[in-house]
């Protein structure tokens, strides 16, 4: 039961419905829907469901500070009594549950526990509610691919520089090794001289002992010495003179012999060197013959060098041009990005509008795409849906404009000419089967129609502008809005207007007005001239807060197009330069390969020829300086014979001693010279070793590292070959110009970024696949039972339609199975045998047909979707009598079953001779100035009077 006090049209009323079908009948305005409102608000429903006003205080009878609702719900094991007291002043409510004070949440939970859903339109249908790194990844890969050529050239140059560095490191080691080998030879010569000296001493040792013995025998006695002192002294002097002469002669003979010996040794060595030189010359000539009779390649090498220098100059010019183009490209790119960002911001705003349109009405969005591709088919102006072409002048104005214009018209296309509109509707509605709305603008423009009152005269009420002045729109759109919605004559006020609202609504010329947060509609009775007003909250704007300057957008698009053309031209010129540079690189590589080959040929032939020439010069000199040994030997014999004839045989021993002494001195002198050479070479070797280790950045006591030793093994081993290779590598390295290490660093950094991005993408892809798998499993658990339920509803719905000689079906519909929030129930019906099944919309069926379909759908839910009760308000309005009777019979037959829910069917009228059931409860609602109060009403007396009146008639 429902008990109301000071609620809407009632001072006090009690409604006691039956457990099954309740027919609430009464004329329009008597308060039938007040019962619906009481049920909704008493069960903690939202005011938005009812569509009468957003503030709960608006449901208290006018002139009273508060009102109340009491609802008694029956359930197994007892009953639930809910009380709600509504206060107008603060729009607050006091709640009681079973006689105890509580909050609204406790009531909501109790209602939920009883499976009551007043927000579910399948239970409660009131009268007024009928698309990330990758680009980066791809862009990063493209940038690295462009720099890869420069990086490869950089590394190739670095390889040449590394070889040069190794050659410069090895060169002092080769110099050191050459000197060290020379020192080893000196050491061997010194050791041989020492060995010969030792052997000579050993051979002369017996003779020295014999001389000593003879010396001892010849010693005179002391007396003899004293006696013969004078004689001995004189003899000694003479002997000394003779000895000196003998020594001189002996030395002369030895000198002659030594000279001969040296000449013999010299000639022997001379002949050996001649033989070796001849053999070397023959070997070199054989090797030169193998090389072949090659022409002189020097002119070819010179020509290659000239071309390489010319290419280098050309490359430098190309690099300069490329740098200029890159700077220009960077500037153009930055300009394009700036323009794109600005256009993107604008397009995002437009896309947001279009996305909202698509979400709200997909058919209109599809028709919009067709229009944009076929605008040339129309002769007059055609405007896209109003919500896309209306631009409010300030964001705060959007809510008023959007509240005033219905969404039905906000999504409408506006045509200047009716013929264009008919052509458009033929294409999109008839051929494409799209449900769209179109409007033909008034033939005479109303866009500049003046308001009925000057706004200045209304400022005393707080009005500051008319609705038309809050937005801009194309002329045809504005003309229609002025004609249809009177936007030129709807004033907008502020809080002052709200405070003076009782005075404001008395102004006779005001029909619709706005305050800061509310819309007021003022009506005057045609009979009594009494004023009735309704107000509703101005809801926040959903579509029109987004504004875009179309002229600025067009200018930006033109600037972007120009910038992109310049960027494209820049790219083409840069590609041409890169192609030229690549061609130069290829030509340089060809030239360097050819130069290397020619240099090898020329170098080998030149080296062989130079060696042969040098050896031949040496051979000629050696052959010209041959010694005549026979002549020298003969002269030596004559000299010795001449000297020997002058010597005294008795002095042979002295001569021998002299000879021995001479040879002894000569061996020691040679050994000393060898030692001096050894010392000099040793110091030189130390210096070269120190220099080599310094270049290799080694400590003095550190041995050559293994990596350097391995690297040195791959390089030439002679100074000539090292110098030749150094010159070649330096020439190659000089060919690589305009390269920077920063390019390589940027390339490597971006390579790392690419690797990280690829790894991240792989991880996200794996996570996405797992997520999709989980979604698929959840989808199966949810979708299959839902499909089964819809099939059951479809069976009931089809049966009901067959019973009224029509056809209907229900299915689960989704344009994309993955967009779960877009799933919906699609109802398709056919009321005429000559037509096909069409989706239930506001365009294909009449209002009565929609009402029949809605009612039968609710009946199909009756036995499948269990809920305590259902409320349907004036669903039979617009039905033709045949369908109304059929639907009524189905409702009675279905709602009066014992297993069904309680049902409230509210209607202002019923057909005559309908079939009723005993389980039905009829609630008649009367209202008017002569009505009795509820406590004076007696149903039996009323029926008796009616019977008497009928009898008299």
């Amino acid at each position: 039961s429902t008990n109301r006090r000071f609620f809407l049209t009632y001072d006090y009323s009690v409604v006691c419905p039956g457990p099954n079908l309740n027919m609430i009948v009464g004329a329009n305005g008597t308060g039938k829907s007040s019962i619906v409102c009481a049920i909704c608000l008493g069960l903690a429903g939202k005011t938005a469901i009812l569509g009468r006003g957003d503030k709960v205080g608006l449901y208290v009878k006018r002139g009273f500070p508060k009102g109340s609702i009491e609802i008694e719900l029956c359930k197994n094991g007892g009953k639930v009594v809910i009380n709600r007291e509504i206060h107008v002043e603060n729009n607050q409510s006091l709640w009681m549950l079973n006689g105890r004070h509580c909050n609204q949440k406790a009531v909501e939970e109790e209602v939920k526990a009883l499976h009551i859903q007043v927000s579910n339109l399948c239970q409660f249908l009131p009268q007024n509610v009928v698309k990330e790194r990758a680009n980066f990844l791809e862009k990063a890969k493209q940038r690295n691919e462009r720099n890869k050529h420069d990086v490869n050239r950089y590394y190739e140059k670095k390889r040449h520089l590394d070889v040069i560095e190794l050659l410069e490191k090895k060169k002092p080691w080769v110099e050191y090794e050459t000197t060290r080998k020379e020192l080893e030879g000196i050491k061997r010569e010194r050791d041989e001289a020492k060995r010969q000296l030792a052997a000579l001493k050993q051979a002369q040792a017996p003779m020295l002992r014999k001389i000593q013995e003879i010396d001892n025998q010849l010693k005179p006695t002391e007396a003899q010495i004293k006696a013969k002192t004078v004689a001995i002294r004189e003899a000694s002097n003479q002997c000394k003179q003779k000895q000196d002469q003998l020594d001189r002669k002996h030395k002369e003979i030895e000198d002659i012999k030594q000279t001969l010996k040296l000449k013999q040794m010299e000639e022997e060595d001379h002949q050996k060197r001649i033989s070796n030189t001849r053999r070397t010359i023959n070997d070199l000539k054989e090797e030169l013959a193998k090389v072949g009779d090659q022409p002189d390649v020097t002119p070819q090498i010179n020509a290659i060098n000239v071309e390489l220098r010319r290419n280098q100059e050309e490359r430098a010019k190309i690099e300069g041009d490329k740098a200029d183009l890159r700077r220009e490209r960077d500037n153009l790119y930055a300009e394009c990005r700036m323009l794109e960002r600005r256009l993107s911001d604008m397009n995002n705003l437009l896309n947001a509008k279009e996305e909202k349109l698509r979400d709200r009405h997909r058919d209109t969005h599809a028709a919009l795409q067709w229009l944009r591709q076929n605008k040339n088919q129309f002769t007059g102006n055609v405007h896209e849906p109003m919500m896309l072409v209306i631009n409010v002048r300030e964001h705060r104005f959007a809510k008023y404009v959007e509240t005033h214009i219905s969404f039905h018209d906000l999504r409408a296309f506006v045509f200047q000419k009716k013929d264009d509109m008919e052509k458009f509707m033929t294409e999109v509605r008839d051929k494409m089967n799209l449900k769209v709305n179109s409007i033909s603008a008034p033939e005479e423009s109303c866009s500049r129609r003046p308001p009925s009152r000057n706004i200045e005269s209304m400022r005393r009420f707080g009005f500051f502008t008319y609705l038309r002045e809050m937005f801009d729109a194309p002329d045809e759109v504005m003309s229609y809005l002025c004609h249809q919605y009177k936007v030129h004559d709807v004033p907008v006020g502020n809080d002052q207007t709200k405070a003076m609202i009782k005075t404001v609504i008395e102004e006779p010329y005001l029909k619709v007005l706005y305050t800061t947060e509310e819309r007021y509609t003022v009506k005057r009775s045609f009979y009594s001239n009494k004023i009735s007003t309704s107000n509703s909250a101005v809801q926040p704007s959903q579509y029109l807060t987004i504004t875009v300057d179309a002229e600025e957008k067009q200018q930006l698009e033109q600037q972007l197009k120009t910038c992109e053309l310049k960027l494209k031209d820049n790219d083409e010129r840069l590609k041409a330069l890169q192609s030229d540079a690549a061609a130069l690189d290829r030509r340089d590589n060809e030239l360097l390969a050819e130069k290397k080959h020619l240099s090898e040929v020329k170098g080998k032939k030149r080296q062989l020829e130079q060696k042969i020439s040098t050896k031949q010069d040496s051979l000629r000199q050696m052959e010209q300086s041959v010694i005549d040994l026979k002549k020298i030997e003969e002269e030596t014999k004559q000299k010795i014979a001449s000297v020997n004839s002058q010597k005294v045989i008795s002095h042979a021993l002295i001569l021998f001693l002299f000879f021995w002494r001479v040879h002894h001195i000569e061996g020691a002198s040679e050994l000393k010279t060898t030692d001096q050479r050894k010392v000099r070479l040793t110091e030189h070797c130390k210096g070269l070793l120190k220099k080599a280790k310094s270049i290799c950045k080694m400590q003095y006591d550190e041995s050559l590292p293994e990596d350097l030793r391995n690297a040195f093994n791959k390089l030439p081993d002679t100074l000539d070959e090292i110098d030749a290779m150094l010159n070649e590598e330096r020439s190659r390295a000089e060919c690589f110009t305009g390269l920077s290490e920063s390019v390589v660093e940027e390339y490597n950094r971006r390579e790392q970024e690419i690797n990280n991005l690829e790894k991240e993408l792989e991880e996200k892809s794996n996570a996405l696949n797992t997520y999709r798998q989980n979604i698929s499993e959840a989808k199966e658990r949810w979708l299959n039972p839902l499909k089964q339920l819809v099939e059951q509803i479809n069976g009931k719905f089809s049966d009901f339609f067959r019973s009224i000689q029509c056809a209907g079906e229900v299915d689960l519909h989704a344009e994309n199975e993955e967009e779960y929030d877009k799933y919906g129930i699609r109802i398709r019906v056919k009321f005429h045998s000559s037509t096909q099944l069409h989706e239930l919309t506001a365009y294909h069926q009449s209002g009565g047909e929609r009402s029949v379909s809605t009612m039968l759908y609710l009946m199909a839910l009756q036995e499948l979707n269990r809920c305590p009760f259902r409320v349907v308000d004036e669903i039979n309005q617009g039905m033709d009598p045949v369908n109304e009777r059929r639907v009524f019979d189905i409702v009675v037959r279905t709602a009066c079953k014992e297993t069904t829910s309680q049902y409230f069917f509210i209607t202002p009228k019923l057909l005559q001779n309908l079939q009723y059931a005993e389980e039905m409860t009829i609630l008649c609602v009367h209202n008017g100035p002569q009505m009795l109060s509820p406590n004076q009403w007696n149903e039996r007396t009323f029926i008796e009077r009616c019977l008497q009146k009928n009898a008299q008639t």
Side-chain angles (χ1 to χ4, degrees):
S1 65
T2 304
N3 187 335
R4 295 160 292 163
R5 185 181 295 275
F6 307 128
F7 186 83
L8 289 174
T9 58
Y10 293 97
D11 289 341
Y12 175 79
S13 178
V14 178
V15 179
C16 297
N20 296 105
L21 177 59
N22 292 273
M23 304 296 295
I24 303 177
V25 186
N28 290 331
T30 57
K32 303 185 303 302
S33 294
S34 298
I35 300 174
V36 177
C37 295
I39 295 174
C40 175
L41 298 181
L43 296 176
K46 306 298 183 185
T47 57
I49 301 171
L50 302 171
R52 287 174 173 257
D54 61 328
K55 297 177 181 178
V56 70
L58 297 174
Y59 292 85
V60 176
K61 189 172 183 179
R62 192 169 182 181
F64 292 87
K66 64 181 180 179
S68 64
I69 305 167
E70 180 182 292
I71 295 181
E72 182 178 323
L73 303 173
C74 295
K75 67 174 184 176
N76 292 334
K79 61 182 180 179
V80 177
V81 180
I82 301 172
N83 293 85
R84 180 175 190 175
E85 187 175 277
I86 305 170
H87 292 260
V88 176
E89 184 177 0
N90 53 10
N91 285 295
Q92 297 295 316
S93 298
L94 298 178
W95 294 88
M96 293 181 68
L97 185 59
N98 293 329
R100 296 181 180 179
H101 288 284
C102 64
N103 55 23
Q104 182 171 337
K105 185 175 182 182
V107 176
E108 291 174 348
E109 291 176 351
E110 183 67 31
V111 169
K112 183 178 180 182
L114 294 173
H115 304 289
I116 298 172
Q117 303 173 18
V118 292
S119 61
N120 186 344
L121 295 182
C122 291
Q123 290 187 18
F124 198 94
L125 190 63
Q127 178 179 352
N128 292 350
V129 180
V130 178
K131 155 161 238 251
E132 3 24 63
R133 194 330 186 160
N135 287 318
F136 181 73
L137 177 62
E138 186 61 30
K139 290 184 179 180
K141 286 183 176 180
Q142 291 173 358
R143 288 196 296 269
N144 257 21
E145 190 63 30
R146 289 196 295 266
N147 293 340
K148 190 173 183 179
H149 177 69
D150 289 342
V151 172
N152 291 337
R153 292 182 66 242
Y154 174 84
Y155 281 123
E156 187 174 354
K157 178 180 180 180
K158 192 174 185 303
R159 284 193 293 271
H160 290 304
L161 295 177
D162 291 342
V163 173
I164 292 171
E165 183 181 0
L166 282 174
L167 288 169
E168 290 176 342
K169 286 181 178 180
K170 184 172 182 179
K171 183 175 180 179
W173 287 96
V174 174
E175 293 174 343
Y176 162 74
E177 187 64 20
T178 302
T179 306
R180 187 189 66 77
K181 290 180 179 179
E182 185 178 355
L183 177 60
E184 291 296 325
I186 294 299
K187 287 182 178 180
R188 288 193 296 271
E189 291 179 7
R190 176 178 175 278
D191 293 342
E192 181 62 24
K194 289 175 68 177
R195 187 187 63 75
Q196 292 178 359
L197 182 60
L200 184 59
K201 286 182 178 180
Q202 185 178 3
Q204 294 174 351
M207 191 173 294
L208 288 174
R209 288 194 298 271
K210 189 167 183 66
I211 291 172
Q212 187 62 42
E213 291 175 358
I214 294 173
D215 185 57
N216 291 337
Q217 292 176 3
L218 293 176
K219 284 184 179 179
T221 63
E222 185 177 350
Q224 290 173 334
I225 291 173
K226 290 180 180 179
K228 297 181 179 180
T229 300
V230 176
I232 290 173
R233 185 178 292 115
E234 291 177 356
S236 178
N237 290 334
Q238 292 178 357
C239 182
K240 182 178 180 183
Q241 292 175 357
K242 294 297 184 181
Q243 183 65 44
D244 291 341
Q245 293 176 0
L246 186 62
D247 289 342
R248 287 194 296 273
K249 293 298 181 181
H250 181 73
K251 185 177 184 303
E252 184 178 351
I253 290 173
E254 291 301 322
D255 288 343
I256 292 170
K257 290 181 178 181
Q258 182 64 27
T259 300
L260 177 60
K261 184 178 180 180
L262 292 172
K263 290 293 184 179
Q264 289 172 338
M265 292 175 62
E266 181 180 351
E267 182 59 21
E268 182 181 357
D269 182 67
H270 190 70
Q271 290 301 324
K272 286 182 180 180
R273 286 190 285 113
I274 289 175
S275 177
N276 291 335
T277 301
R278 285 174 178 167
R279 185 164 55 251
T280 301
I281 290 173
N282 291 335
D283 293 340
L284 291 174
K285 285 182 177 180
E286 290 178 2
E287 187 175 357
L288 181 60
K290 292 179 181 179
V291 173
D293 187 14
Q294 295 284 349
D296 186 11
V297 297
T298 301
Q300 294 175 260
I301 294 176
N302 291 339
I304 289 174
N305 289 334
V306 170
E307 187 172 355
L308 284 172
R309 285 193 294 272
R310 186 167 60 247
N311 288 353
Q312 185 175 355
E313 293 172 357
E314 182 66 21
R315 185 180 290 102
K317 181 178 181 299
I318 289 175
E319 291 300 325
D321 293 343
K322 285 170 65 178
D324 293 340
L325 285 176
R326 288 193 184 101
R327 284 191 293 271
E328 180 183 346
R329 182 188 61 186
D330 291 342
N331 293 334
L332 288 171
Y333 186 81
E335 183 180 355
C336 284
R337 296 294 78 78
M338 181 271 291
L339 293 172
E340 285 176 350
R341 282 194 299 271
R342 292 178 62 185
L343 277 173
S344 176
D345 292 341
M346 289 185 171
N347 288 331
N348 286 341
L349 295 175
L350 290 176
N351 290 339
K353 270 190 174 183
E354 287 190 26
E355 189 65 19
K356 288 184 177 181
L357 175 62
R358 187 182 70 85
D359 292 343
R360 183 76 180 269
H361 207 275
R362 288 181 178 270
D363 284 3
T364 301
H365 187 266
L368 173 64
Q369 307 308 312
W370 182 90
L371 174 63
R372 288 176 175 174
Q373 297 172 6
N374 298 276
K375 263 196 172 181
N376 57 347
Q377 296 187 19
F378 304 102
T379 58
N381 295 332
V382 181
H383 301 287
E384 295 181 354
M386 289 189 196
M387 61 180 289
L388 301 181
V389 298
I390 289 176
N391 282 309
V392 295
R393 295 176 181 176
E394 294 184 27
H395 285 178
R396 64 190 181 97
F397 295 160
K399 62 181 182 180
Y400 303 111
V401 180
E402 195 168 314
T403 298
H404 196 70
I405 305 172
S406 70
F407 180 75
H408 186 72
D409 278 350
L410 280 176
R411 64 178 180 83
F413 297 83
V414 180
F415 293 82
Q416 183 184 23
K417 297 183 177 180
K418 289 185 178 180
D419 292 344
D420 287 341
M421 184 181 74
E422 293 174 359
K423 181 187 295 185
F424 175 78
M425 295 302 288
T426 299
E427 291 292 336
V428 300
R429 182 185 61 189
D430 300 339
K431 295 182 180 180
M432 299 173 64
N433 199 27
L434 299 177
K435 295 84 179 178
V436 299
N437 186 28
S438 62
I439 292 168
S440 176
E443 293 183 1
E444 184 178 349
S445 177
C446 305
S447 61
R448 304 183 186 278
R449 182 178 293 174
S452 58
R453 293 286 189 282
N454 190 294
I455 193 65
E456 295 300 327
S457 66
M458 303 175 67
R459 291 193 185 276
R460 58 194 174 94
F461 297 127
F463 294 112
F464 60 91
T465 188
Y466 283 104
L467 205 57
R468 179 177 60 183
E469 314 309 322
M470 289 184 163
F471 66 97
D472 297 311
D475 186 76
E476 287 81 8
V477 175
M478 186 65 80
S479 176
Y480 172 78
L481 294 177
C482 289
H483 175 76
Q484 184 69 23
Y485 287 94
K486 305 296 186 290
V487 294
H488 65 290
D489 213 20
V490 176
V492 181
N494 49 29
D495 292 338
Q496 179 186 348
T497 311
K498 170 66 175 176
M500 302 175 61
I501 194 64
K502 291 184 178 180
T503 304
V504 171
I505 62 177
E506 298 294 335
E507 295 294 316
Y509 52 85
L510 290 177
K511 293 186 173 73
V512 180
L513 61 95
Y514 287 87
T515 64
T516 304
E517 300 294 339
E518 291 178 316
R519 166 190 166 125
Y520 285 84
T521 302
V522 183
K523 295 181 179 178
R524 285 175 173 77
S525 173
F526 180 79
Y527 302 100
S528 63
N529 202 34
K530 288 186 178 180
I531 298 174
S532 65
T533 63
S534 64
N535 66 320
S536 60
V538 177
Q539 300 297 328
S541 172
Q542 298 183 52
Y543 311 106
L544 300 183
T545 52
I546 304 171
T547 60
V548 174
D549 189 325
E551 185 177 351
E552 181 185 4
K553 181 174 181 293
Q554 186 176 5
Q555 290 176 353
L556 290 176
E557 287 172 343
Q558 185 60 42
Q559 292 174 13
L560 179 60
K561 185 176 181 181
T562 302
C563 186
E564 287 174 342
L565 289 174
K566 290 180 180 179
L567 195 59
K568 182 178 179 181
D569 178 67
N570 179 282
D571 287 339
E572 290 175 353
R573 286 186 290 160
L574 189 59
K575 287 179 181 177
L577 290 176
Q578 290 173 339
S579 177
D580 293 343
L584 285 177
D585 290 339
R586 291 193 296 270
R587 181 56 182 163
D588 280 357
N589 291 334
E590 294 171 358
L591 292 172
L592 289 172
E594 184 179 0
K595 179 181 177 181
K596 180 181 179 182
H597 173 70
L598 293 175
S599 298
E600 289 174 351
V601 173
K602 176 183 177 182
K604 190 170 185 180
K605 184 177 180 181
R606 184 174 64 250
Q607 289 175 2
L608 290 172
E609 290 174 346
Q610 185 176 0
K611 288 181 180 179
I612 291 172
S613 176
T614 302
K615 294 297 182 181
Q616 286 176 340
D617 290 341
S618 299
L619 181 61
R620 283 194 296 270
Q621 293 176 2
M622 287 187 289
E623 288 175 344
Q624 291 173 1
S625 59
V626 174
I627 301 173
D628 191 351
L629 286 177
K630 291 183 179 180
K631 182 179 178 181
I632 292 175
E633 289 175 353
E634 187 62 31
E635 290 176 351
T636 301
K637 289 180 180 179
Q638 293 176 359
K639 290 179 181 179
I640 292 173
S642 175
V643 173
N644 284 338
S645 63
Q646 300 175 14
K647 291 172 59 179
V648 180
I649 296 175
S650 59
H651 295 150
L653 181 60
I654 298 173
L655 180 61
F656 173 77
L657 292 172
F658 175 77
F659 178 77
W660 171 83
R661 184 181 179 187
V662 169
H663 276 272
H664 175 73
I665 293 171
E666 186 182 25
S669 175
E670 184 177 354
L671 182 61
K672 182 178 180 181
T673 301
T674 303
D675 285 341
Q676 290 174 347
R677 288 183 62 196
K678 176 196 169 194
V679 171
R680 287 196 302 272
L681 284 175
T682 300
E683 292 299 322
H684 188 44
C685 275
K686 289 181 179 179
L688 290 174
L689 181 61
K690 183 177 180 181
K691 176 182 177 183
K693 290 190 174 183
S694 175
I695 292 175
C696 294
K697 298 179 181 178
M698 297 167 50
Q699 299 295 327
Y700 187 75
D701 56 350
E702 183 181 357
S703 59
L704 189 65
E706 186 68 21
D707 57 339
L708 275 180
R709 184 179 288 107
N710 294 334
F712 286 172
N713 289 336
K714 300 176 183 178
L715 299 175
D717 295 323
T718 66
L719 289 175
D720 290 342
E721 291 174 336
I722 287 177
D723 287 338
M725 190 172 182
L726 268 174
N727 291 333
E728 182 176 349
E729 292 296 326
R730 284 170 179 156
S731 298
R732 288 179 178 272
E734 289 172 357
C735 294
F736 296 91
T737 59
L739 298 178
S740 171
E741 190 172 357
S742 61
V743 176
V744 181
E745 292 174 354
E746 177 68 16
Y747 179 85
N748 292 333
R749 182 189 63 78
R750 196 177 290 117
E751 276 291 307
Q752 185 62 43
E753 289 181 356
I754 290 172
N755 293 335
N756 294 339
L757 280 173
E758 288 176 340
K759 182 178 179 182
E760 182 181 354
L761 280 175
E762 182 179 3
E763 292 174 353
K764 289 186 180 297
S765 296
N766 294 336
L768 180 59
N769 291 335
T770 303
Y771 180 69
R772 284 174 174 167
Q773 180 64 28
N774 294 337
I775 287 179
S776 179
E777 294 173 357
K779 176 183 175 183
E780 291 299 321
R781 294 193 301 269
W782 162 76
L783 189 56
N784 291 337
L786 179 59
K787 287 181 177 179
Q788 295 175 4
L789 178 61
V790 173
E791 282 297 323
Q792 295 174 5
I793 297 172
N794 179 53
K796 295 285 185 183
F797 187 75
S798 299
D799 291 342
F800 287 146
F801 261 80
R802 277 194 296 272
S803 69
I804 63 171
Q805 288 79 48
C806 298
E809 63 180 33
V810 176
D811 63 1
L812 186 64
H813 178 70
E815 293 183 3
N816 184 352
E817 282 199 1
E818 303 305 321
E819 296 182 8
Y820 304 110
D821 58 331
K822 301 298 190 300
Y823 272 75
I825 295 294
R826 180 173 61 179
I827 301 175
R828 303 173 69 222
V829 295
K830 181 176 76 168
F831 286 90
H832 308 283
S833 59
S834 60
T835 62
Q836 300 294 324
L837 284 170
H838 288 286
E839 186 174 351
L840 183 64
T841 66
Y843 313 101
H844 274 104
Q845 295 84 20
S846 65
E849 291 172 342
R850 293 197 299 272
S851 297
V852 171
S853 304
T854 303
M855 194 66 206
L856 295 184
Y857 180 71
L858 294 177
M859 292 295 101
L861 294 177
Q862 182 74 11
E863 296 179 1
L864 298 175
N865 183 17
R866 298 295 297 170
C867 60
F869 64 87
R870 284 188 169 87
V871 177
V872 179
D873 193 354
E874 297 191 11
I875 192 67
N876 58 334
Q877 294 303 296
M879 293 185 188
D880 62 88
V882 175
N883 283 331
E884 184 177 353
R885 187 176 299 276
R886 290 172 177 174
V887 170
F888 184 85
D889 291 342
I890 293 174
V891 171
V892 171
R893 191 168 61 248
T894 304
C896 289
K897 294 180 180 179
E898 293 183 359
T899 58
T900 58
S901 306
Q902 187 179 27
Y903 220 98
F904 291 88
F905 189 98
I906 300 170
T907 177
K909 65 179 180 62
L910 286 173
L911 298 174
Q912 294 181 355
N913 302 320
L914 293 174
Q915 295 296 322
Y916 294 90
E918 292 296 332
E919 293 82 5
M920 292 176 60
T921 299
I922 308 298
L923 300 173
C924 295
V925 181
H926 293 281
N927 206 345
Q930 307 300 324
M931 274 297 297
L932 295 174
S933 64
N935 56 0
Q936 296 177 339
W937 171 259
N938 187 290
E939 182 178 348
R940 182 178 296 275
T941 303
F942 174 75
I943 294 174
E944 289 176 354
R945 290 181 61 188
C946 286
L947 292 174
Q948 290 176 4
K949 185 176 179 181
N950 289 337
Q952 292 174 0
T953 303

